[in-house]
Amino acid sequence: MMTMALTEPPREADSSLALFALGASISFGEGVAQLLGAELAPLEDREFEDGEYKIRPLENVRGRDCYVVFTLNGDDVASSADKLCKLLFFIGALKDAGAQRVTAVTPYLCFARKDRRTKPRDPVTTRYVAQLFEALGTDRVVCVDVHNIAAFQNAFRCETVHLDAQALFANHVLANIGDMPVAVVSPDLGGEKRAELFRLRLERMLKRPVAKAFMDKYRSEGRVVGDIFAGDVKDRTAIIIDDLIAGGGTVARTAAACRANGAAHVWVAATHGVFSQKAASALKSAPIDQLIITDTTPLQPSMAAALGDRLMVVSVAGLLAEAIRRLHVNGSITQLLEDGP
């Protein structure tokens, strides 16, 4: 496994800003704090014998601008729902303690994939999660590459900040692609806009045309079907761009289709490596030359072993640190996303 991390000189600490990190995100939060020139604020996270817990800040937050870093993927220790509850309880504690503003920094936001009704009586879970954040008085929610940006922005009444990893992925491609012709591939029609924005960014950076392609996909009751592939990938490096990988089936079938249509190489760039238990077997034999993910969720050892040196992890710590700094001083997030951290 190869790892690439963004670094920048630490900045002078600001006493009006309080940065917290919870649970499995503490190590990641320490990296963000270091880039901000700050330290994580102390907290108590105590679990009782029956599995209930209390969580509270251990320093004064009255009148301060508070940021709480916690990625909400399920793991062997806690489910997504458990993590969401803990984050909400801590936000409530901060508001009760007089924090002037509380921002939830959730690199991976749970329950964001069910954002509309596709069948009768379907839940719109993204909206329910938004209502929970609002009920606790959350002032702002920061996420990276949610499944559906429009649904995310429309679900929340508090301020939302949507970050993406496109600049990070594009910089990686620029540094490694050489003169190889390139095509950007969407693994389904729903991700076509994301793929097109990435393709246009690559064209500007590479200063040459970048082709495009897409794969048809229809999911119902856990089954994925659709065999239509359209676009030009012949003799090119096909870069499949997606927001997340869970079971691995979608990118595996898209990679196979790219190879069948003449792609010389297949790269996958997906922001969130959520990786279910079956992902290792699905991706180990997939015709993928390189799989690029970010550290929005902790990497599972089984996936690192299955993918070996095909796996590249790009850190979003610099992106989130710069976003927090700009939000604290009312700087431009739009410019950050355009230029990268």
Side-chain angles (χ1 to χ4, degrees):
M1 181 186 71
M2 300 176 66
T3 303
M4 181 173 70
L6 294 173
T7 59
E8 63 177 46
R11 303 179 185 273
E12 186 177 348
D14 184 341
S15 61
S16 66
L17 185 151
L19 179 66
F20 298 89
L22 309 184
S25 294
I26 290 176
S27 178
F28 179 82
E30 288 172 342
V32 173
Q34 183 178 15
L35 292 171
L36 281 169
E39 294 183 356
L40 290 181
L43 58 86
E44 178 187 13
D45 185 354
R46 178 184 174 191
E47 185 169 328
F48 299 104
E49 292 81 357
D50 61 355
E52 294 185 5
Y53 48 81
K54 79 168 185 179
I55 182 166
R56 66 186 177 106
L58 290 177
E59 67 179 32
N60 182 24
V61 296
R62 186 169 300 281
R64 297 176 71 184
D65 188 14
C66 298
Y67 295 80
V68 187
V69 178
F70 200 19
T71 199
L72 300 178
N73 66 300
D75 55 32
D76 294 339
V77 177
S79 69
S80 294
D82 290 333
K83 291 183 178 182
L84 177 61
C85 266
K86 180 166 287 191
L87 176 58
L88 292 170
F89 292 166
F90 188 61
I91 290 170
L94 290 171
K95 296 296 286 190
D96 285 349
Q100 182 182 55
R101 184 170 63 183
V102 178
T103 299
V105 181
T106 59
Y108 174 75
L109 178 65
C110 60
F111 300 115
R113 282 180 276 181
K114 196 70 191 93
D115 51 44
R116 66 191 187 281
R117 290 193 179 95
T118 54
K119 293 185 177 179
R121 297 173 293 282
D122 262 358
V124 187
T125 318
T126 302
R127 177 160 54 85
Y128 310 154
V129 170
Q131 290 170 336
L132 291 171
F133 276 108
E134 290 155 8
L136 271 296
T138 311
D139 296 285
R140 183 195 288 132
V141 176
V142 177
C143 299
V144 181
D145 276 323
V146 295
H147 189 61
N148 183 327
I149 299 175
F152 166 69
Q153 292 171 335
N154 289 328
F156 284 81
R157 291 175 294 179
C158 65
E159 182 185 354
T160 57
V161 176
H162 182 262
L163 307 174
D164 64 60
Q166 291 214 353
L168 304 179
F169 289 148
N171 286 333
H172 173 79
V173 173
L174 185 65
N176 292 278
I177 199 66
D179 296 327
M180 176 66 69
V182 182
V184 172
V185 183
S186 175
D188 53 55
L189 285 175
E192 196 277 333
K193 186 171 184 179
R194 177 187 297 109
E196 179 64 6
L197 290 172
F198 186 64
R199 187 188 71 82
L200 292 172
R201 182 187 288 265
L202 278 186
E203 279 197 335
R204 292 194 301 271
M205 295 175 69
L206 294 172
K207 296 181 173 59
R208 63 178 189 261
V210 174
K212 62 179 170 181
F214 71 88
M215 184 81 187
D216 183 31
K217 184 181 82 168
Y218 175 71
R219 185 190 300 274
S220 180
E221 297 180 357
R223 294 179 63 249
V224 176
V225 296
D227 299 317
I228 299 172
F229 183 90
D232 179 18
V233 297
K234 185 173 175 58
D235 298 326
R236 297 175 181 270
T237 294
I239 303 175
I240 303 167
I241 186 84
D242 210 350
D243 61 316
L244 65 87
I245 300 176
T250 294
V251 295
R253 65 194 288 274
T254 307
C258 289
R259 291 288 193 183
N261 283 270
H265 305 283
V266 177
W267 294 5
V268 175
T271 305
H272 309 294
V274 178
F275 298 133
S276 67
Q277 290 184 347
K278 64 181 181 180
S281 59
L283 295 172
K284 186 174 184 179
S285 58
I288 296 170
D289 297 292
Q290 189 173 132
L291 195 157
I292 314 155
I293 60 172
T294 76
D295 54 355
T296 55
T297 63
L299 179 62
Q300 302 169 16
S302 61
M303 288 308 306
L307 292 167
D309 59 7
R310 293 188 293 163
L311 182 66
M312 171 72 73
V313 181
V314 179
S315 181
V316 297
L319 175 66
L320 284 168
E322 183 61 18
I324 291 170
R325 188 190 70 80
R326 294 189 184 210
L327 290 170
H328 182 58
V329 300
N330 298 317
S332 172
I333 297 298
T334 300
Q335 197 64 45
L336 170 62
L337 294 177
E338 182 64 28
D339 300 338

mmCIF file of all heavy atoms in Angstrom, residues 187-188 217 219 224 242 247-255:
data_model
loop_
_atom_site.group_PDB
_atom_site.id
_atom_site.type_symbol
_atom_site.label_atom_id
_atom_site.label_comp_id
_atom_site.label_asym_id
_atom_site.label_seq_id
_atom_site.Cartn_x
_atom_site.Cartn_y
_atom_site.Cartn_z
ATOM 1 N N PRO A 187 -19.588 4.886 -13.322
ATOM 2 C CA PRO A 187 -20.092 3.516 -13.185
ATOM 3 C C PRO A 187 -21.609 3.407 -13.242
ATOM 4 O O PRO A 187 -22.151 2.306 -13.206
ATOM 5 C CB PRO A 187 -19.565 3.083 -11.816
ATOM 6 C CG PRO A 187 -19.468 4.359 -11.047
ATOM 7 C CD PRO A 187 -19.076 5.408 -12.045
ATOM 8 N N ASP A 188 -22.301 4.557 -13.309
ATOM 9 C CA ASP A 188 -23.758 4.566 -13.475
ATOM 10 C C ASP A 188 -24.168 5.952 -13.950
ATOM 11 O O ASP A 188 -23.404 6.914 -13.865
ATOM 12 C CB ASP A 188 -24.489 4.187 -12.173
ATOM 13 C CG ASP A 188 -24.056 5.042 -10.996
ATOM 14 O OD1 ASP A 188 -24.143 6.279 -11.091
ATOM 15 O OD2 ASP A 188 -23.623 4.469 -9.980
ATOM 16 N N LYS A 217 -26.465 0.924 -14.980
ATOM 17 C CA LYS A 217 -26.646 0.169 -13.735
ATOM 18 C C LYS A 217 -28.036 0.404 -13.194
ATOM 19 O O LYS A 217 -28.517 1.536 -13.165
ATOM 20 C CB LYS A 217 -25.618 0.592 -12.673
ATOM 21 C CG LYS A 217 -25.711 -0.236 -11.386
ATOM 22 C CD LYS A 217 -24.701 0.212 -10.340
ATOM 23 C CE LYS A 217 -25.173 1.403 -9.552
ATOM 24 N NZ LYS A 217 -24.335 1.671 -8.370
ATOM 25 N N ARG A 219 -30.228 -0.927 -9.721
ATOM 26 C CA ARG A 219 -30.194 -1.696 -8.473
ATOM 27 C C ARG A 219 -31.608 -1.836 -7.925
ATOM 28 O O ARG A 219 -32.357 -0.859 -7.833
ATOM 29 C CB ARG A 219 -29.330 -0.980 -7.423
ATOM 30 C CG ARG A 219 -29.143 -1.777 -6.130
ATOM 31 C CD ARG A 219 -28.486 -0.912 -5.061
ATOM 32 N NE ARG A 219 -27.182 -0.440 -5.481
ATOM 33 C CZ ARG A 219 -26.058 -1.124 -5.322
ATOM 34 N NH1 ARG A 219 -26.084 -2.316 -4.759
ATOM 35 N NH2 ARG A 219 -24.900 -0.614 -5.731
ATOM 36 N N VAL A 224 -27.845 -5.903 -8.710
ATOM 37 C CA VAL A 224 -27.398 -4.894 -9.668
ATOM 38 C C VAL A 224 -27.412 -5.517 -11.056
ATOM 39 O O VAL A 224 -26.824 -6.574 -11.283
ATOM 40 C CB VAL A 224 -25.979 -4.389 -9.330
ATOM 41 C CG1 VAL A 224 -25.488 -3.420 -10.400
ATOM 42 C CG2 VAL A 224 -25.976 -3.708 -7.966
ATOM 43 N N ASP A 242 -16.061 7.557 -8.558
ATOM 44 C CA ASP A 242 -17.283 7.306 -7.792
ATOM 45 C C ASP A 242 -17.138 7.925 -6.407
ATOM 46 O O ASP A 242 -16.033 8.299 -5.986
ATOM 47 C CB ASP A 242 -17.537 5.805 -7.678
ATOM 48 C CG ASP A 242 -19.018 5.449 -7.572
ATOM 49 O OD1 ASP A 242 -19.837 6.374 -7.389
ATOM 50 O OD2 ASP A 242 -19.361 4.258 -7.663
ATOM 51 N N GLY A 247 -19.613 -2.805 -1.497
ATOM 52 C CA GLY A 247 -19.389 -4.210 -1.817
ATOM 53 C C GLY A 247 -18.340 -4.439 -2.880
ATOM 54 O O GLY A 247 -17.780 -5.531 -2.986
ATOM 55 N N GLY A 248 -18.065 -3.432 -3.687
ATOM 56 C CA GLY A 248 -17.048 -3.549 -4.729
ATOM 57 C C GLY A 248 -17.575 -4.057 -6.056
ATOM 58 O O GLY A 248 -16.857 -4.019 -7.061
ATOM 59 N N GLY A 249 -18.821 -4.531 -6.093
ATOM 60 C CA GLY A 249 -19.363 -5.102 -7.316
ATOM 61 C C GLY A 249 -19.506 -4.102 -8.445
ATOM 62 O O GLY A 249 -19.243 -4.426 -9.607
ATOM 63 N N THR A 250 -19.903 -2.876 -8.114
ATOM 64 C CA THR A 250 -20.125 -1.861 -9.150
ATOM 65 C C THR A 250 -18.834 -1.525 -9.879
ATOM 66 O O THR A 250 -18.792 -1.520 -11.117
ATOM 67 C CB THR A 250 -20.736 -0.592 -8.538
ATOM 68 O OG1 THR A 250 -22.045 -0.891 -8.042
ATOM 69 C CG2 THR A 250 -20.840 0.515 -9.569
ATOM 70 N N VAL A 251 -17.758 -1.246 -9.142
ATOM 71 C CA VAL A 251 -16.507 -0.889 -9.818
ATOM 72 C C VAL A 251 -15.879 -2.103 -10.478
ATOM 73 O O VAL A 251 -15.227 -1.969 -11.535
ATOM 74 C CB VAL A 251 -15.507 -0.199 -8.855
ATOM 75 C CG1 VAL A 251 -16.059 1.135 -8.391
ATOM 76 C CG2 VAL A 251 -15.154 -1.074 -7.688
ATOM 77 N N ALA A 252 -16.072 -3.293 -9.923
ATOM 78 C CA ALA A 252 -15.509 -4.498 -10.539
ATOM 79 C C ALA A 252 -16.138 -4.758 -11.905
ATOM 80 O O ALA A 252 -15.435 -5.051 -12.882
ATOM 81 C CB ALA A 252 -15.705 -5.699 -9.624
ATOM 82 N N ARG A 253 -17.469 -4.639 -12.001
ATOM 83 C CA ARG A 253 -18.124 -4.882 -13.283
ATOM 84 C C ARG A 253 -17.818 -3.771 -14.284
ATOM 85 O O ARG A 253 -17.686 -4.029 -15.482
ATOM 86 C CB ARG A 253 -19.642 -5.050 -13.085
ATOM 87 C CG ARG A 253 -20.363 -3.839 -12.593
ATOM 88 C CD ARG A 253 -21.776 -4.168 -12.095
ATOM 89 N NE ARG A 253 -22.678 -4.474 -13.186
ATOM 90 C CZ ARG A 253 -23.362 -3.552 -13.872
ATOM 91 N NH1 ARG A 253 -23.212 -2.270 -13.566
ATOM 92 N NH2 ARG A 253 -24.164 -3.900 -14.839
ATOM 93 N N THR A 254 -17.662 -2.534 -13.800
ATOM 94 C CA THR A 254 -17.309 -1.438 -14.694
ATOM 95 C C THR A 254 -15.875 -1.601 -15.197
ATOM 96 O O THR A 254 -15.580 -1.341 -16.371
ATOM 97 C CB THR A 254 -17.478 -0.082 -13.991
ATOM 98 O OG1 THR A 254 -18.792 0.015 -13.434
ATOM 99 C CG2 THR A 254 -17.264 1.065 -14.961
ATOM 100 N N ALA A 255 -14.972 -2.034 -14.323
ATOM 101 C CA ALA A 255 -13.591 -2.280 -14.739
ATOM 102 C C ALA A 255 -13.526 -3.373 -15.797
ATOM 103 O O ALA A 255 -12.784 -3.261 -16.782
ATOM 104 C CB ALA A 255 -12.745 -2.655 -13.527
#
